[in-house]
Amino acid sequence: MAVVTVLRGVSHGRLSLLPHSQLPIVRPRNRPNVLRIFARYSQAHDLFTTRLQDRLEKLPKLVEDIVQTSLNTGPRGALRLAQGVQAVVGVGSEWLQDVSKTANSSTGLPTQLQLGLLSPLYLRKLFERMGATYIKLGQFIASAPTLFPPDYVQEFQYCFDRAPAVPFEEIKTILGEELGRPIDTVFEYIDPAPLASASIAQVHGARIRGTGEDVVIKVLKPGIEDILVADLNFIYIAARILEFLSPDLSRASLVAIVKDIRESMLEEVDFNKEATNVESFRRYLEAMGLTRQATAPKVYPQYSTKRVLTMERLYGVPLTDLDSIKSLVSSPEISLITALNVWFGSLLACESFHADVHTGNLWQLRDGRIGFLDFGIVGRISPKTWAAMEVFLQSIAIEDYESMASALIDMGATGKDVDSKAFARDLEKIFLSIQDLDTEVIVAAARDTNTNANTVAANVAFDERQMNALFLDVVRVSESYGLKFPREFALLLKQLLYFDRYTRLLAPNMNMYRDQRIELVSNRRQRNIYQ
């Protein structure tokens, strides 16, 4: 008689040997569980099939984008790839050296070293080695805390440092090529020493031949545009591939962020667009009858191209040079009020607003007016953002933090309910801390050799990291409630922080949100010349 071994009584720790005739009829005891497992498998299989089909449908568009972008990049892409490899090797060597120094430490590797080249410090160093495009990208990261993690925003503040100047002979060559004629037939004089040198452009003082008008010439540095296009195209392709391989990244709008960066940076290297921004602001001043209070430099289109921008030279001092301002106007406070009213008015009545009013771009001019300089970075406000921003500004003026919280909730994108009262309490703590910000006023005494009189010069040292830390606090607490803000809000809030620091120097007893002389929002809508 055949004997079949059957595994039974395992739970009792024994095995039973039963004849075939004594075998029990085995019935599946957990059929419902089996069915559920099968159902889940079926659903997962269907989901996988759906996703696969969706990706296959998107594949031709991805390939088309990659091919078209690669064609637009051309052979310069290979050169940038080689330079990129060289930069990675260089920064990688620095990282390895730093790791070796701390390898024997009992505390282990710091987080900065564990992240390697993806850490804020080494990524910033890599960007600096990669040159202009990545420095501009670093500046974008530093200026967009609504999009990037705080550690990266703070580290990339270093990307705002002064860039090395291009030799004047190269600048003259570019001017000749762009203007299509010998430069001495256009300019009587060009100062070979640059007034300023940034990552993408260089500025020189000059005088127009024949008229004797003093101008400044902003020149795009050689090769920058080609490098920029190649780099941005590479970043775009990488983002497209990553989003294709990981559809979850589409929820984070990775490609949309990259496109926003690309459009923003390409606008900055197209001086025709900057000229348009300047002329738009000048039209706003004329339409509002503000030309006696403020100005922007006149553009000379006949001496300007996409890579060269020739503008009227304005003479004055930064809005932080208190002693010089006092020598030019009777009341620095009135100058600040003028600057505030002109800027706030532009939010509604101009096609775009100046989105970089740091100390180098906002001047007290010798003729008493306020000068707005450098319109490379501007912002445009959507109706939804502006409606919320109005409430936000009004709530700051009356310190109504619940209204402020409601305005930010309306402005931000969120997929969950927000505890507005708790949010308001957190915002109150942050904005009260603004009052505790230290403004370092530097006072220097000197003796005038001509008059033998003592003079006192006061200035203010802007702590950019302190300002950004405060800004990041607002963003951080908002994100803790699930809020994501548009980049235009980040631009607006940063300008308000700049003006807060100007107020501390020029009008320390004034509250710019409450002072009746400052028109934040009321009566502006009806005067909007573009509605």
Side-chain angles (χ1 to χ4, degrees), residues 372-394:
F372 287 80
L373 312 177
D374 194 343
F375 284 75
I377 302 176
V378 298
R380 296 172 180 84
I381 308 178
S382 67
K384 177 185 175 182
T385 300
W386 174 249
M389 196 67 193
E390 256 191 326
V391 178
F392 178 76
L393 293 176
Q394 289 171 334

Side-chain angles (χ1 to χ4, degrees), residues 292-313:
R292 293 186 178 181
Q293 288 78 43
T295 190
K298 179 179 71 174
V299 174
Y300 292 79
Q302 67 273 36
Y303 308 132
S304 300
T305 68
K306 185 178 179 180
R307 300 171 64 202
V308 172
L309 181 60
T310 303
M311 298 175 288
E312 169 189 12
R313 184 168 185 176

Side-chain angles (χ1 to χ4, degrees), residues 519-531:
E519 191 177 2
L520 294 181
V521 291
S522 60
N523 300 323
R524 292 198 186 278
R525 183 158 301 162
Q526 61 187 6
R527 298 191 296 163
N528 190 338
I529 59 176
Y530 291 105
Q531 288 184 344

